[in-house]
Amino acid sequence: MTTSNPLIQSDPISYISTYPAQTMNLNVSKLSSARSTRQSTPTLSFSLTCFIFLFAVFSDIQPAQAFSFQLPQIRMPWDNNSAGASTSSYPFAASKGAAPKSPIQPNDKVVIFGATGGIGQLVTKKLSNARSDKNYKLTVVAREASRARELLEDNESGGKLNVVELNLVGEDKAGDEELMEAMSGATGIVISVGTTAFPTKRWSGGNTPQAIDQEAVSRIAKLASSMNQNNFSFRRMVLLTSVGVERTKEMPFLFLNLCGVLDAKRAGEDAVKAAAAEGNFSYSIVRPGRLVGGPYTNLDLANLFQIEGGAENGVTVAPGDDLLGDCKRDACAEAVVQCLENEACVDLEFSIVSNEEKALTVEEWAEVFGRMKR
C-alpha cells in the first residue's frame, strides 16, 4: 500500500507517535525490535498506536496471528461474516442462501398482481402447469377472489395457488399491512395491472391510469423495498407496461396518451427502478406492443375482432422503447417468466413485439438479455 505523505513513507512510527491510544496489555516485542535503533523506550500507548497504524496499512496481516491478545468485538469493513455474526448486519443479505437479484428457485413463492388479466392468466399458468416440476408457490392478488379462482381453476396447481382478495384502488383499497402480508416470503413479484387508456366502465371504482399504473404500482414497489431491507426476501420484480412510454410526443402514442395512461405507466416504472435500487433486488420492465391473441380482456379492436397474431411465438426484443407492432399475449407472458427465471436478466427494460419466427429457447433468451446489458 502506498501513501502520498512523505513522513509516513520515511518514518511511519514518528508519524503516528502523536496519536492518542488507550493502554492495553500487549506483547510488542516485534514492534520494539523494529525500532531498536531508536533511543527511547516505547510505552504501551505508543506501541498500540504503532500496531493500529501498521495493521491499517498492511491489512492483509491478521492481528490474531501476529499478536497474542484478543481484539475488542468491533466489526471492521474488511471482516467476513464469521460464525455467530448476525446476517442483519448486512442490510442486503439474501434469503435462503441465494444471492441478491438471482433467479427464482424451485419451491419459491411468487406473487402475481393482475393475474385475472390476459397476460396475468398466462403467467400464472406457465408458472404452475408448464413448470409444475419446480413447485412454485403462487399467490394471486385479485379484486374478486371468486373470479380469480374461476379463471384459473384449470391451472392444475395441485393446491399451490393461493388467492388473496385485495383491492389496489378506490375507497376500500388494501392497507400497507395487508399488501405486505400478501408479499411476505416471496422471492419474485409480477405486476401486470392496468386499465383502459380512455374512460370506460373499467374506470369505475377509481380504477384510473393514475390510480392503478402509477399510485398502486409505486406503493407495491416501495413496500417491497422496505420489506427487503428487513427480511432480505425479494430478488426479482417484473413490471408489465407498454411501448410508447418514452415516445409520448410521437404518433400514435400522442393520441394514446391523451388521458395520461403512458405518463402513469412511466411513473410506475420509475418507482420500480428506484425501489429496486434501495432494496437491492432486480427489476425487469417489459414493454409489449399492442396485445393480440387470447385471453381477450382489453376493450379494443384486437378483442373485438379476435386478432390472434402469427402462428409462431417468435419475438423481437430491443432495449428501451424503440419497437412498434403487435405482441402475442402468450409470447409476452413467456418473456415475463424468463425475467424471473433467467440468470442473465438483471435490471433490464425492453420493448417486445411478435414475429413469425420460432419461439426463443432459454439459451437464446439468455443471449438476448446478455446483449441488452452491454
Side-chain angles (χ1 to χ4, degrees), residues 121-131 330 333-334 337:
Q121 292 181 46
L122 294 170
V123 168
T124 302
K125 293 177 180 180
K126 284 178 179 291
L127 289 174
S128 56
N129 294 3
R131 292 162 171 81
D330 190 61
E334 181 62 30
V337 174

Side-chain angles (χ1 to χ4, degrees), residues 85-350:
S86 172
T87 55
S88 62
S89 299
Y90 299 90
F92 297 132
S95 65
K96 302 180 182 179
K101 302 189 178 185
S102 61
I104 61 173
Q105 301 296 323
N107 300 307
D108 276 1
K109 176 181 175 179
V110 180
V111 179
I112 305 170
F113 292 91
T116 57
I119 294 177
Q121 292 181 46
L122 294 170
V123 168
T124 302
K125 293 177 180 180
K126 284 178 179 291
L127 289 174
S128 56
N129 294 3
R131 292 162 171 81
S132 58
D133 59 316
K134 296 189 177 181
N135 197 37
Y136 292 134
K137 307 300 189 295
L138 305 182
T139 292
V140 169
V141 178
R143 282 175 290 182
E144 299 178 24
S146 58
R147 180 169 179 267
R149 292 191 180 95
E150 180 182 354
L151 290 171
L152 303 169
E153 62 184 1
D154 63 342
N155 65 61
E156 303 172 6
S157 61
K160 291 177 291 186
L161 184 65
N162 176 40
V163 179
V164 178
E165 185 170 284
L166 293 177
N167 199 351
L168 297 176
V169 298
E171 295 181 355
D172 61 340
K173 66 182 178 182
D176 289 352
E177 291 186 359
E178 294 175 288
L179 285 174
M180 290 190 292
E181 182 178 354
M183 294 189 291
S184 178
T187 59
I189 299 176
V190 175
I191 307 176
S192 180
V193 298
T195 187
T196 52
F198 302 99
T200 65
K201 65 179 182 180
R202 293 275 296 275
W203 283 32
S204 62
N207 192 40
T208 64
Q210 289 71 30
I212 188 67
D213 289 310
Q214 179 176 344
E215 296 171 11
V217 169
S218 298
R219 189 155 71 107
I220 293 169
K222 290 177 181 178
L223 288 174
S225 175
S226 175
M227 294 172 67
N228 220 38
Q229 296 179 50
N230 293 318
N231 63 20
F232 329 124
S233 174
F234 305 120
R235 299 199 296 270
R236 297 212 166 177
M237 177 177 288
V238 185
L239 172 65
L240 191 75
T241 62
S242 171
V243 295
V245 292
E246 296 179 349
R247 294 176 282 173
T248 55
K249 302 301 182 183
E250 304 174 17
M251 290 296 290
F253 308 114
L254 178 64
F255 176 76
L256 184 64
N257 194 45
L258 287 178
C259 292
V261 64
L262 294 178
D263 291 336
K265 289 182 181 295
R266 182 59 185 274
E269 290 183 358
D270 292 342
V272 166
K273 289 188 286 186
E278 293 178 358
N280 200 36
F281 56 82
S282 172
Y283 70 85
S284 298
I285 295 172
V286 184
R287 298 167 175 155
R290 184 183 66 158
L291 295 172
V292 297
Y296 297 97
T297 57
N298 289 353
L299 302 175
D300 58 10
L301 292 178
N303 184 353
L304 179 63
F305 296 107
Q306 302 287 286
I307 299 175
E308 287 291 342
E312 301 294 344
N313 253 12
V315 291
T316 300
V317 179
D321 180 24
D322 292 330
L323 300 180
L324 181 63
D326 292 345
C327 185
K328 293 181 64 177
R329 285 182 173 86
D330 190 61
C332 185
E334 181 62 30
V336 171
V337 174
Q338 288 295 327
C339 290
L340 291 172
E341 294 184 331
N342 203 299
E343 184 79 34
C345 186
V346 177
D347 297 340
L348 294 178
E349 47 193 297
F350 58 89

Side-chain angles (χ1 to χ4, degrees), residues 54-67:
L54 292 176
F55 178 65
V57 173
F58 305 101
S59 58
D60 58 321
I61 300 175
Q62 297 299 317
Q65 298 173 356
F67 303 99

Side-chain angles (χ1 to χ4, degrees), residues 17-29:
S17 62
T18 58
Y19 282 79
Q22 296 177 357
T23 302
M24 181 180 291
N25 184 17
L26 175 65
N27 183 349
V28 293
S29 57

Side-chain angles (χ1 to χ4, degrees), residues 9-20:
Q9 295 175 338
S10 61
D11 192 356
I13 295 181
S14 295
Y15 175 77
I16 62 172
S17 62
T18 58
Y19 282 79

